[in-house]
Amino acid sequence: MSELIGLAVLLILLSLVVASSFEEENRLKALSVAWVVFLLLTFSTIATEWARMTAVLVNQEDDPHYGLPDLWDGKQVVCLHFPERNVPAGFDDGRHHIDYDGTDFMTDVEWNETGACIGGFSGFENGWDLLDAAINATGDDFAVTTTSYSFGLMIDSIAGVDPSTMAGEFNGAYWSLYHNGALSMVGIADLELDPDSVVTWRVDTW
Amino acid sequence: MFDAHAVALGPHGMLAVNVAMLSIIGWALWRAEQKLSFGSDWIALSMLGVFAIAGRVLLDPIPNVQPVTVIVLLAGIHFGATRSIALATAVALGSNLIMGHGLWSFYQAIGWSAVGIAGALLADRLYVDGRLALPALAGVAAISAFAFDWIVSLSALHSLSADVFLVYLMAGIPYDLLHAVGNVAFVAWLANSLSDIMTRHVAIPTAMVVNDVATNRV
């Protein structure tokens, strides 16, 4: 939004400069060229910002993208859901939606889990590669620690949230992996992705 | 073996080639038009149609910037609603035979026809004392861009539900804006020249032929 306002201000200033630099006879020609060039140069930014502003959440419950912004249709997404008492600072007000470039553009306060979904990715075939890209896109917010076992890679903590340290009315807790809404039968390093996969991590207990 | 067509142009190179081709087509049509006798309205309309189709196809690399809307608007002003509808529909079909023909062609024909009809209805305000009122025409051309795009967007109702249609329209606003600004540029740079051409070929009403011979004279 702030980028759109900045571009609008820039366009107004550009128009004033161009309009004052040309005689009335050629003013419309000069202005129209300036506007077309300006829009073409900034179109990618304008289209992206506008798409984020006007995004709506997918409301079909049988869609793996249910509850996610529609601008991620056909794209790959990683969701990180944290237990109620262990939500990283700044992510406890609902589910944040963060685009592939790290822009946090929408928060769904109605969602029954807290955390973040990082999406808009494409072309990833392996679960670990997608998770790595999503973590990198958000800087240090969701740093992951892992342990490598003979049977595969185990996620120990996400954003400092380590289920093995949690206490409650359960025997143990762990980061559980879901692919398109279903519990994954393979680990993240062996997970083969679809072009529009939704990979979800949440803490489960036993 | 020689591969004489192995030169790979990037998008900017291709756009430069397309603009050069459109310039050649425009120049050749303009020269040919000067040799037409006055009042060759259908020939002039056909030539404008060729330029509109070429403009739409060749400027395709620039999203939603094409001369068809302004040409149809001017045709409505100078030639009236009926012939602008013929031009609009022919251009929609002709360009889509290259770019892809489908249900959307019908909506594009309706959209551009509506623009032509608007031009005909507003002709007295947009063409005053033998001159185009450019600022007003630029405004109408910009509004026409949104109107055309939204009419074409109605085709989405065949696959989308009505409740997401508004969201669909909203998502397209940046593209509508580009169409509108492109139209203003075409008005600023081409409208007067195109208007002169059209004015030369607006058919002069022929004398009414009297079929019945008067039998009584005073």
Side-chain angles (χ1 to χ4, degrees):
Chain A
M1 180 67 176
S2 58
E3 285 191 52
L4 285 183
I5 293 171
L7 287 174
V9 171
L10 195 58
L11 181 61
I12 291 168
L13 290 175
L14 177 71
S15 301
L16 290 173
V17 170
V18 171
S20 62
S21 305
F22 286 85
E23 300 283 324
E24 189 176 348
E25 191 181 337
N26 292 318
R27 194 169 290 153
L28 188 59
K29 287 182 179 177
L31 277 172
S32 66
V33 170
W35 290 337
V36 169
V37 170
F38 181 86
L39 266 187
L40 287 176
L41 291 177
T42 59
F43 190 72
S44 173
T45 305
I46 291 172
T48 303
E49 286 297 312
W50 186 258
R52 288 169 179 165
M53 275 176 60
T54 57
V56 293
L57 302 174
V58 174
N59 59 8
Q60 291 164 301
E61 292 189 26
D62 57 342
D63 188 331
H65 279 247
Y66 172 63
L68 296 172
D70 61 348
L71 82 151
W72 288 346
D73 282 349
K75 303 284 186 180
Q76 295 165 322
V77 183
V78 173
C79 289
L80 309 169
H81 294 151
F82 297 90
E84 201 173 327
R85 294 176 186 173
N86 298 82
V87 184
F91 293 96
D92 55 356
D93 54 348
R95 187 163 76 164
H96 288 239
H97 297 114
I98 301 172
D99 220 352
Y100 60 92
D101 62 353
T103 304
D104 187 344
F105 65 95
M106 179 191 269
T107 301
D108 181 6
V109 296
E110 305 285 323
W111 192 254
N112 59 3
E113 291 173 294
T114 50
C117 290
I118 307 127
F121 299 96
S122 58
F124 288 97
E125 295 179 355
N126 175 268
W128 174 256
D129 293 338
L130 176 63
L131 177 63
D132 193 40
I135 299 304
N136 286 335
T138 54
D140 296 329
D141 285 344
F142 301 106
V144 171
T145 61
T146 61
T147 303
S148 187
Y149 293 96
S150 57
F151 55 84
L153 205 60
M154 180 92 175
I155 299 290
D156 296 325
S157 73
I158 299 175
V161 177
D162 184 350
S164 68
T165 63
M166 294 176 186
E169 295 176 359
F170 47 81
N171 293 321
Y174 60 100
W175 276 110
S176 186
L177 172 63
Y178 292 77
H179 183 212
N180 292 335
L183 190 64
S184 176
M185 293 296 111
V186 296
I188 187 69
D190 298 316
L191 182 63
E192 291 181 11
L193 300 177
D194 302 327
D196 60 346
S197 281
V198 179
V199 172
T200 305
W201 291 94
R202 61 169 60 91
V203 173
D204 283 339
T205 58
W206 78 84
Chain B
M1 286 291 288
F2 293 108
D3 188 353
H5 299 286
V7 179
L9 287 176
H12 295 104
M14 205 61 230
L15 180 61
V17 169
N18 286 0
V19 169
M21 287 180 68
L22 185 60
S23 303
I24 293 169
I25 291 169
W27 175 80
L29 288 173
W30 173 66
R31 295 285 294 173
E33 182 276 332
Q34 288 181 322
K35 292 182 176 141
L36 291 177
S37 56
F38 286 1
S40 307
D41 51 343
W42 282 107
I43 299 175
L45 267 174
S46 304
M47 294 169 83
L48 288 166
V50 169
F51 183 69
I53 290 171
R56 182 163 180 241
V57 172
L58 292 171
L59 293 180
D60 185 48
I62 308 175
N64 234 8
V65 173
Q66 40 72 28
V68 181
T69 312
V70 169
I71 290 174
V72 169
L73 181 61
L74 288 169
I77 293 169
H78 291 289
F79 292 120
T82 311
R83 280 177 284 184
S84 72
I85 290 171
L87 178 67
T89 308
V91 169
L93 177 63
S95 55
N96 283 353
L97 288 178
I98 300 167
M99 302 173 75
H101 176 49
L103 178 64
W104 55 88
S105 303
F106 178 67
Y107 286 89
Q108 287 173 342
I110 292 175
W112 276 320
S113 295
V115 172
I117 292 168
L121 292 174
L122 297 170
D124 291 342
R125 294 180 183 178
L126 299 177
Y127 191 72
V128 183
D129 297 332
R131 285 181 61 83
L132 283 174
L134 279 188
L137 182 64
V140 172
I143 294 168
S144 298
F146 285 89
F148 169 80
D149 290 347
W150 291 351
I151 289 171
V152 174
S153 294
L154 289 172
S155 64
L157 285 173
H158 292 276
S159 55
L160 293 178
S161 60
D163 55 334
V164 296
F165 182 66
L166 193 60
V167 177
Y168 179 76
L169 283 187
M170 289 290 287
I173 294 281
Y175 292 90
D176 303 336
L177 201 58
L178 208 45
H179 187 179
V181 172
N183 281 359
V184 172
F186 284 118
V187 165
W189 288 88
L190 290 180
N192 276 330
S193 304
L194 290 172
S195 176
D196 289 344
I197 291 171
M198 293 185 194
T199 306
R200 278 198 291 277
H201 297 292
V202 172
I204 301 162
T206 51
M208 294 286 284
V209 177
V210 179
N211 292 322
D212 300 322
V213 178
T215 52
N216 297 315
R217 291 188 179 192
V218 176

